[in-house]
Amino acid sequence: MFKLLLRRFFSLTLPLALICAAGFGLDWSALALADQAPPGAQIFELHCAGCHIHGGNIVRRNKTLKLKALQRNGMDNLTAISEIVLNGKGNMSAYQDRLTEAEIQSVAAYVLEQAEQGWK
């Protein structure tokens, strides 16, 4: 019975959702491009952006990912950024159990690149 209801629900709602999306001009190419973002950007969005949106810091205002703050705190290189992602520090959680070494390097490179570009 439940399977029948579920099947009926999706058979009615999926076409309606597609029609609405087409009617409201949903940009499917934007969704496709999100999947093509560099791995560092994807990891940042998934694990870091909650606290560091646009390179800021919602927990500690002076500990941003902006270039001047990174330089002031001695975090303006890949090794330092990778180290803090790996082991955490203060309010910053450690990600050694959640990310691979390659993912840590990728997100560190992304953070440094964005800082150098002004988080545009």
Side-chain angles (χ1 to χ4, degrees):
M1 180 72 166
F2 178 72
K3 287 182 181 179
L4 178 63
L5 288 173
L6 193 60
R7 195 174 308 140
R8 218 176 246 173
F9 173 77
F10 282 111
S11 69
L12 294 173
T13 56
L14 184 59
L16 183 59
L18 292 173
I19 290 168
C20 289
F24 290 113
L26 180 62
D27 185 3
W28 292 100
S29 62
L31 295 174
L33 289 176
D35 288 339
Q36 297 172 1
Q42 292 176 359
I43 294 164
F44 184 86
E45 286 301 315
L46 183 62
H47 294 283
C48 313
C51 292
H52 294 289
I53 187 90
H54 303 295
N57 188 328
I58 66 167
V59 179
R60 301 207 43 209
R61 284 184 278 163
N62 65 335
K63 300 283 185 166
T64 71
L65 302 178
K66 310 286 176 140
L67 189 57
K68 285 185 179 184
L70 291 175
Q71 290 169 337
R72 181 178 60 245
N73 295 308
M75 295 286 164
D76 58 335
N77 61 72
L78 288 176
T79 303
I81 296 170
S82 297
E83 185 68 26
I84 200 164
V85 173
L86 182 68
N87 297 311
K89 183 177 179 182
N91 293 336
M92 169 76 186
S93 299
Y95 285 84
Q96 61 188 345
D97 295 336
R98 292 177 254 182
L99 299 175
T100 66
E101 180 64 31
E103 290 171 326
I104 290 170
Q105 294 300 318
S106 181
V107 77
Y110 174 77
V111 166
L112 189 57
E113 176 184 328
Q114 290 300 302
E116 290 170 345
Q117 295 177 4
W119 286 93
K120 295 179 181 181

